[in-house]
């Protein structure tokens, strides 16, 4: 039975048999003047077909300057929302509307508003992994690429609330000497890495460097040779003389790391309670080539943002882009 179930957040139609998906996606893309953006946490086939692959900051920067009519965000919902807020006149699609984010979900806008009311007089800095409604309550948005520099662009005695990621917030506090008040949220993927299994891997491969995303817990970060956003970890792996790396972030990034460094070995850091050796984000991995094809064909599911919320949310996003441009990020 054919199922165009937009209510459930995806176009779950079977794709016609014997079609070359890659060719058809390219054809639809040209026909509709669409661009495909993909985050490094997408599966390799989606990264390979995208017009642009990047981290959260780069995706927002790219969305802000595209002149396409349709933008397909192969990533999660908050990334599509950010693109829609930046390009209100464009159609923004996501292959699967159910591609959410546990970190964004850990910060409900009503609860956050109450928290801000209970703590008046603070500058509010929010990670991009938030809903548009939380961004609308925020003074400046950050990503893991620019969080440290944006926090440091405020006077040392600025009273700051940082949300929603407690691990990123703690990390920024530790490297800047700030004492930001933190929202108690986290990403279920990055919290899952096993210290014991990483220590075992380090023993087995003493030459390997540990690369970790700042959404990981402090115990993992304490072992890391390099802490940074997906883009920063990728750059480090390419520039480093080391030949082997253990990677503590969503394993999709290994695709580009391996592509750029065919002579190096990348080992995904294992999660705590899984038989799988790597750590995938179940939300990111809802997107597939089949859903991308249907999404381009039917121009669904589409991201829309309430106009009043968008009017407020664009201010801290623009502020982030402006500061980043000044800092050359
Ligand atoms: P970056 O893209 O900033 O590295 O963050 C990763 C992430 O959490 C995406 O969900
Ligand atoms: Fe959200 Fe974590 Fe998935 Fe990134 S990896 S989209 S922060 S749940």
């Amino acid at each position: 039975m054919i199922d165009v179930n937009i209510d459930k957040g995806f176009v779950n139609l079977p794709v016609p048999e014997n079609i070359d998906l890659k060719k058809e996606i390219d054809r639809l893309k040209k026909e509709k003047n669409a661009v495909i953006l993909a985050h490094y946490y997408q599966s390799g086939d989606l990264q390979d077909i995208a017009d642009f692959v990047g981290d959260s900051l780069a995706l927002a920067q790219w969305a802000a300057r595209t002149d396409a009519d349709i933008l397909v965000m192969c990533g999660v919902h908050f990334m599509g929302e950010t693109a829609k807020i930046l390009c209100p006149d464009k159609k923004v699609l996501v292959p699967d509307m159910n591609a959410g984010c546990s970190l964004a979900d850990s910060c409900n806008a009503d609860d956050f508003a109450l928290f801000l009311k209970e703590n008046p007089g603070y500058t509010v800095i929010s990670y991009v992994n938030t809903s548009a409604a939380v961004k609308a309550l925020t003074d400046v948005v950050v990503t893991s690429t620019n969080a440290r520099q944006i926090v440091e662009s405020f006077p040392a005695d600025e009273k700051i609330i940082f949300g929603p990621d407690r691990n990123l917030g703690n990390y920024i506090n530790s490297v800047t000497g700030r004492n930001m008040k933190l929202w108690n949220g986290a990403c279920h993927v990055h919290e899952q890495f096993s210290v014991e299994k990483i220590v075992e891997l380090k023993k087995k491969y003493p030459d390997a460097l540990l690369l970790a995303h700042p959404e990981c817990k402090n115990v993992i970060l304490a072992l890391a040779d390099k802490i940074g956003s997906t883009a920063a970890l990728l750059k480090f792996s390419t520039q480093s003389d080391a030949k082997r790396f253990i990677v503590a972030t969503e394993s999709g990034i290994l695709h580009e790391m391996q592509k750029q460094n065919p002579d190096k070995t990348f080992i995904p850091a294992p999660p705590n309670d899984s038989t799988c050796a790597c750590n995938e984000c179940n939300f990111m991995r809802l997107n597939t080539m089949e859903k991308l094809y249907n999404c381009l064909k039917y121009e669904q599911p589409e991201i829309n943002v309430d106009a009043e919320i968008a009017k407020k949310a664009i201010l801290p996003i623009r502020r982030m882009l402006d500061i980043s441009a000044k800092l050359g990020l």
Side-chain angles (χ1 to χ4, degrees), residues 39-41 54-57 59 76 78-79 101 103 127-129 143-145 187 190 213-215 228-232 249 281 284:
H39 190 269
Y40 289 125
Y41 293 167
D55 70 351
S56 305
L57 176 63
L59 291 175
V76 291
F78 75 81
M79 295 174 177
C101 168
L103 178 52
Y127 197 27
V128 70
N129 300 41
T143 73
S144 50
T145 287
C187 154
H190 287 88
H213 196 280
E215 287 173 27
S229 64
T230 45
T249 189
C281 172
M284 284 278 182

Side-chain angles (χ1 to χ4, degrees), residues 178-205:
R178 306 280 172 132
N179 186 24
M180 300 186 296
K181 196 180 266 292
L182 307 181
W183 181 263
N184 191 20
C187 154
H188 74 298
V189 178
H190 287 88
E191 286 240 307
Q192 266 292 315
F193 289 110
S194 159
V195 191
E196 292 76 19
K197 290 180 190 171
I198 289 174
V199 170
E200 267 172 41
L201 278 173
K202 279 182 83 112
K203 270 192 204 146
K204 190 170 173 193
Y205 304 109

Side-chain angles (χ1 to χ4, degrees), residues 39-289:
H39 190 269
Y40 289 125
Y41 293 167
Q42 294 293 278
S43 55
D45 49 1
L46 289 171
Q47 292 190 45
D48 288 343
I49 204 160
D51 297 286
F52 178 76
V53 186
D55 70 351
S56 305
L57 176 63
L59 291 175
Q61 288 169 326
W62 217 92
R65 61 172 185 261
T66 182
D67 56 7
D69 295 318
I70 296 179
L71 206 151
V72 185
M73 182 61 77
C74 292
V76 291
H77 189 263
F78 75 81
M79 295 174 177
E81 261 191 351
T82 304
K84 182 66 185 179
I85 292 165
L86 286 165
C87 317
D89 302 331
K90 297 189 193 308
K91 194 174 256 193
V92 177
L93 308 172
V94 286
D96 191 320
M97 193 64 101
N98 296 314
C101 168
S102 58
L103 178 52
D105 288 348
S106 70
C107 188
N108 169 281
D110 290 339
D111 296 342
F112 196 58
L114 191 64
F115 181 64
L116 301 185
K117 206 171 157 196
E118 286 165 356
N119 295 282
Y122 282 79
T123 295
V124 182
I125 301 186
S126 293
Y127 197 27
V128 70
N129 300 41
T130 44
S131 65
V134 168
K135 289 185 178 78
L137 299 166
T138 294
D139 294 305
V140 57
V141 167
V142 298
T143 73
S144 50
T145 287
N146 58 24
R148 179 181 182 162
Q149 289 94 328
I150 290 184
V151 167
E152 284 180 330
S153 73
F154 287 93
D157 59 351
E158 186 90 6
K159 288 170 68 185
I160 297 174
I161 280 178
F162 185 94
D165 191 67
R166 59 176 176 250
N167 295 322
L168 177 62
N170 271 319
Y171 170 67
I172 302 292
N173 272 344
S174 74
V175 292
T176 60
R178 306 280 172 132
N179 186 24
M180 300 186 296
K181 196 180 266 292
L182 307 181
W183 181 263
N184 191 20
C187 154
H188 74 298
V189 178
H190 287 88
E191 286 240 307
Q192 266 292 315
F193 289 110
S194 159
V195 191
E196 292 76 19
K197 290 180 190 171
I198 289 174
V199 170
E200 267 172 41
L201 278 173
K202 279 182 83 112
K203 270 192 204 146
K204 190 170 173 193
Y205 304 109
D207 59 318
L209 299 185
L210 175 65
L211 312 179
H213 196 280
E215 287 173 27
C216 294
K217 284 181 179 173
N218 192 28
V219 280
I220 304 287
L221 298 183
L223 297 173
D225 297 289
K226 170 74 185 170
I227 298 167
S229 64
T230 45
L233 298 181
L234 173 63
K235 189 172 170 191
F236 181 87
S237 71
T238 301
Q239 291 179 345
S240 166
D241 291 334
K243 291 283 178 222
R244 202 191 304 267
F245 302 88
I246 302 163
V247 186
T249 189
E250 213 271 3
S251 56
I253 185 69
L254 270 74
H255 181 71
E256 188 61 28
M257 285 176 167
Q258 200 67 75
K259 225 165 138 179
Q260 290 190 19
N261 303 283
D263 59 329
K264 298 184 181 178
T265 304
F266 296 94
I267 306 164
N272 268 316
D273 56 354
S274 169
T275 44
C276 176
C278 69
N279 207 356
E280 290 184 352
C281 172
N282 51 314
F283 296 114
M284 284 278 182
R285 303 308 178 113
L286 284 175
N287 296 326
T288 61
M289 288 287 277

Side-chain angles (χ1 to χ4, degrees), residues 18-30:
N18 302 326
I19 64 162
D20 181 334
L21 262 183
K22 197 175 159 325
K23 240 188 195 163
E24 283 303 301
I25 289 170
D26 272 333
R27 182 185 63 74
L28 286 166
K29 203 180 71 175
K30 286 190 190 105

